[in-house]
Amino acid sequence: MQVTERPHEPPRWAQWAVVLASVMLVWHSLGNHSLFPPDEGRYAAVSGWMAEHGNWLQPLLRDRLHVTKPPLTYWAQALSIRYFGHEDISPRLPSAIASTLTLLTLFVFARRTAGALVAMLAVGLLAVMPLFQIIGRLAITDPMLTAWWWMALCSAWLAMSNGRRHLGWIAAFWTSSALVGLTKGPLLLAPITIVAVWLVLAGRLRDLRLLMPLVGLPLAIAPLGFVAYGYWVTDPERALQVWNFEFVDRFTGVSMRDPWWLLFLAFFAGFFPATTMLTLPWFNMTFARAWACLRAGDQRALLLVAVILPLLGFSILSRKSPTYILPLAPPLAMLVAGMLARWVDGSMADAPAGTKPPDVRHTTAIAMTGVGLLLPGAAVVLILNGSAPAWATGWTLLWLTLPVIPAMTATWFMLARWPMREQRLPALGVYFAAMVFVWIGFHHAEDVAMTAMGARPVAQAVAAETRPIIVYRLRNLTIDWYLGRWLDAVDGSKDLQAWIDAHPDGVVVASDGDLAYLRSKFPDVARRLEVRQEFDAWPLKKIVFCDVVR
C-alpha cells in the first residue's frame, strides 16, 4: 500500500489554479436564484422554522413532525439562516461548504497517496461533473453526505495503509461514519461495508480489525440512536409512518417503483466526462483483467468497490433518485485521474503487457461533440416550434446553450495534441478551462430561469391576499419559506370541499396539473373554483390562484 512516486508532477501554480477554479464553481452565483422546489424549499422551510423557534430536536413541516431525515442537515441550515438571514444563499451555505470540503479532501488525499498530478486531475474531473455541479450546490442532504462518506473512505485507507493501527485515522473514520448517520440514517453502514467488501475480495477480511469495529461501530451508531429514540418518544405514530415510507417502501416498492436502469443512466450522464474515460469489462478491457483489479487489494481496488457496490446497492431500491449516487463522484474522479496520469506522465509506455489501459480520448471527443451539437440544435428546434419556455423569449434559449461550443472545440484540440506527450497536460488544461466556462454559462441560465420560475412572486401574492387562502396538493414548500410562515394545506378533495364550504370568499392555490386532476375526477368541486392569476413555476408548470365562487 505504498505511494507510487511520479516523476512528472505539474507546477504548484497549476495545481492551485485548478483547485481554486473548482472551488469557485461551487460558490459562483450561489445566491442569485430562487430555491428549487420541492426539495430545497422543504429543507429551507423546515430549517427556517427551526432557526426561528429554536426547537432543535423536533423539526416541523406545516406543524407536523418532519422526521424523514436525521437532523444534521436541518441543524446546519438553521444555524446558517440564523446568522446570515432569510436569504436564498443561507440554506445553501452548508452544502457549498460540504462540496468545498469534498474537493479539498480529494486533493489532499490524492496528493498524499497518489501524487500531485493525480490530485490535480481528480479535482478538475470532480468539479465539472454535472451531478456534482448541480446537486452539490443544492440545499439538501446529499452534499453533506458525500463529504462525510468520502472522508470516511480516506480515513479508512490511511488507518490501514501500513498494516497497523493508526488511532487518529480510526477515530476520523468512525466520526465521519457517525456524521453520515446523522445526515442520512442507515447509510452510516455504507463506509464500513465498502471497506469490508474490499478486504473480502482481497482475501484479507481479518485486517478489518485494524479499524476496531467492535468499539467504533457502536459509538458511531449512538448519536443516530439517540435522535431516533427522541423522534419515537415525541410521536411514535408519525415516526413509524416515516420509517415505512422512507425505508421499507424503498425496498418493497409499495407506492412506486422506478426502472432498474435509472441510476445507471444517471451515473453515465451525471459523471460526464469521467464516465467517457472509463475502462469497462467487455467494452475496452477483459473481464478477467477487471476481476483481477477488484481483487488486488490496493487503492484502485478500494476506489472500484466504492463506485460499484453503492451503484448496485442503490439500484436494488424500488425508489431511486440521481442524488443517491453523488457519493460515488470523488472515488470515480480519483480512479479516472489515476488512468489519465499514466498517459500524461509517460509511465504508460512502461506498463507490462496486458495492464495498459486503452486510450479513451476518442470516446470523450465523440461524447462532447454529441453534447455540443445536441444542446444548441435542440434549442433551435424548440424555438422554431414555439415550444421554448415562456421565460426564454426570442433566441434566449439558444444563447444559453452556446457555452458548450468552446468545450467541444477544446475536446478536438485535446485530441489533436494528445500524440505529443508533453502537450497532453496543457491540452487537458484547455479542456478544463472550457468546461469551467460551460458551468459559468449554466449558472447564468439557472439565474435567468429561476428569476421567472421561482416561488418568490407567488409568496408575495399570497402575502398581499386579504382573504382566507389554502394550498391544494401543492408540494412547493418554497412558498412557505419565502412567506416566513406555514400555509394551510389539504390533499384530498373532500377536505378541499369542506374548506370551500366554510370559506365561500376564499382563495385556493394549486398547480395547473392538480387543478386539471380536480376537474377530471371531481368536477363538482372544480366548478367552485375560478382561475384568477397564474405564475410560471419550476419545472415547466404553472401555479394558479383560484377564487371560490358560488
Side-chain angles (χ1 to χ4, degrees):
M1 296 188 186
Q2 298 300 316
V3 176
T4 302
E5 297 294 335
R6 297 190 179 277
H8 302 286
E9 301 289 18
R12 192 174 294 272
W13 67 265
Q15 300 173 39
W16 287 109
V18 171
V19 172
L20 291 175
S22 300
V23 171
M24 178 274 296
L25 277 181
V26 171
W27 293 88
H28 177 255
S29 191
L30 188 67
N32 291 354
H33 53 273
S34 300
L35 299 182
F36 285 92
D39 291 343
E40 277 200 304
R42 182 175 68 255
Y43 279 99
V46 173
S47 300
W49 182 92
M50 184 179 285
E52 180 180 354
H53 293 85
N55 188 339
W56 300 93
L57 296 180
Q58 296 176 343
L60 294 188
L61 188 153
R62 287 181 176 165
D63 294 325
R64 292 192 65 192
L65 186 65
H66 184 67
V67 292
T68 58
K69 296 291 186 295
L72 185 58
T73 303
Y74 301 126
W75 291 343
Q77 291 182 0
L79 286 173
S80 179
I81 293 167
R82 173 170 286 189
Y83 288 104
F84 297 101
H86 204 84
E87 305 293 337
D88 288 326
I89 196 172
S90 297
R92 290 179 177 139
L93 275 177
S95 296
I97 292 171
S99 293
T100 301
L101 185 61
T102 301
L103 286 166
L104 296 179
T105 303
L106 175 61
F107 180 75
V108 172
F109 175 72
R111 198 174 194 277
R112 173 171 178 166
T113 61
L117 179 58
V118 173
M120 184 180 73
L121 293 172
V123 168
L125 283 168
L126 178 61
V128 299
M129 290 179 178
L131 269 183
F132 186 79
Q133 267 303 307
I134 297 172
I135 306 301
R137 291 158 43 93
L138 295 180
I140 58 178
T141 59
D142 300 277
M144 293 178 61
L145 171 69
T146 300
W148 313 139
W149 185 311
W150 176 238
M151 290 171 64
L153 293 180
C154 295
S155 300
W157 172 264
L158 294 171
M160 306 173 69
S161 58
N162 291 320
R164 63 177 187 272
R165 288 174 177 162
H166 296 264
L167 293 180
W169 290 120
I170 293 172
F173 173 79
W174 291 113
T175 300
S176 300
S177 297
L179 291 172
V180 169
L182 287 175
T183 304
K184 221 161 184 179
L187 288 181
L188 176 153
L189 299 175
I192 189 63
T193 302
I194 290 170
V195 173
V197 171
W198 167 61
L199 291 173
V200 166
L201 289 172
R204 297 169 34 223
L205 183 59
R206 292 187 62 184
D207 286 352
L208 191 64
R209 70 186 191 281
L210 296 175
L211 289 177
M212 303 172 63
L214 296 180
V215 175
L217 186 58
L219 292 175
I221 293 175
L224 179 60
F226 172 77
V227 169
Y229 177 74
Y231 287 167
W232 178 263
V233 170
T234 302
D235 190 340
E237 181 179 354
R238 178 63 177 162
L240 184 60
Q241 288 177 350
V242 170
W243 171 262
N244 288 331
F245 180 76
E246 288 291 320
F247 303 109
V248 177
D249 191 31
R250 290 185 191 275
F251 288 94
T252 61
V254 172
S255 64
M256 65 180 298
R257 182 177 294 276
D258 294 318
W260 65 268
W261 45 262
L262 179 63
L263 292 186
F264 290 92
L265 178 62
F267 176 84
F268 284 101
F271 294 146
F272 177 88
T275 45
T276 66
M277 305 175 188
L278 287 174
T279 51
L280 301 171
W282 296 303
F283 176 64
N284 50 19
M285 71 184 305
T286 65
F287 181 82
R289 177 59 187 158
W291 181 243
C293 290
L294 273 173
R295 300 194 62 189
D298 56 8
Q299 186 183 82
R300 181 172 60 171
L302 176 60
L303 296 174
L304 281 169
V305 173
V307 171
I308 296 171
L309 186 63
L311 180 60
L312 294 177
F314 289 134
S315 296
I316 295 172
L317 301 180
S318 61
R319 293 166 52 213
K320 306 173 182 68
S321 170
T323 62
Y324 294 176
I325 62 172
L326 185 62
L328 281 59
L332 178 65
M334 190 168 172
L335 263 176
V336 175
M339 181 273 295
L340 282 177
R342 296 176 67 192
W343 283 104
V344 170
D345 67 12
S347 62
M348 194 65 71
D350 301 324
T355 65
K356 184 176 180 180
D359 189 347
V360 295
R361 69 184 188 274
H362 297 98
T363 54
T364 305
I366 292 170
M368 193 69 239
T369 300
V371 172
L373 296 177
L374 179 62
L375 289 184
V380 170
V381 171
L382 290 173
I383 292 169
L384 294 179
N385 288 342
S387 302
W391 56 266
T393 58
W395 292 90
T396 300
L397 197 63
L398 176 61
W399 308 139
L400 292 175
T401 63
L402 289 183
V404 299
I405 302 298
M408 180 179 66
T409 306
T411 308
W412 296 340
F413 174 80
M414 182 176 66
L415 197 64
R417 294 288 178 176
W418 200 260
M420 297 171 283
R421 189 190 64 79
E422 67 279 1
Q423 293 293 318
R424 290 173 184 169
L425 189 58
L428 287 170
V430 171
Y431 178 68
F432 172 72
M435 290 297 293
V436 169
F437 181 70
V438 167
W439 285 110
I440 290 175
F442 175 84
H443 295 162
H444 175 65
E446 195 175 40
D447 296 342
V448 172
M450 291 308 293
T451 298
M453 295 189 292
R456 192 185 297 274
V458 181
Q460 291 171 347
V462 171
E465 195 62 60
T466 58
R467 291 176 291 173
I469 192 167
I470 198 165
V471 171
Y472 172 64
R473 294 186 63 175
L474 189 62
R475 298 293 188 267
N476 192 340
L477 274 295
T478 316
I479 302 171
D480 302 60
W481 155 254
Y482 288 121
L483 197 61
R485 61 179 173 83
W486 297 127
L487 285 169
D488 293 330
V490 294
D491 288 334
S493 61
K494 291 183 179 180
D495 293 333
L496 179 60
Q497 178 69 68
W499 188 90
I500 290 174
D501 292 339
H503 303 86
D505 62 337
V507 178
V508 176
V509 180
S511 70
D512 54 349
D514 287 334
L515 185 59
Y517 169 82
L518 195 67
R519 286 169 175 165
S520 65
K521 299 293 185 180
F522 307 99
D524 292 340
V525 179
R527 276 194 290 269
R528 299 286 306 276
L529 303 177
E530 184 177 89
V531 176
R532 167 166 51 96
Q533 193 174 8
E534 295 183 344
F535 295 88
D536 290 324
W538 173 269
L540 301 179
K541 64 180 181 180
K542 293 183 180 297
I543 292 177
V544 295
F545 279 53
C546 301
D547 293 328
V548 176
V549 296
R550 296 187 182 276

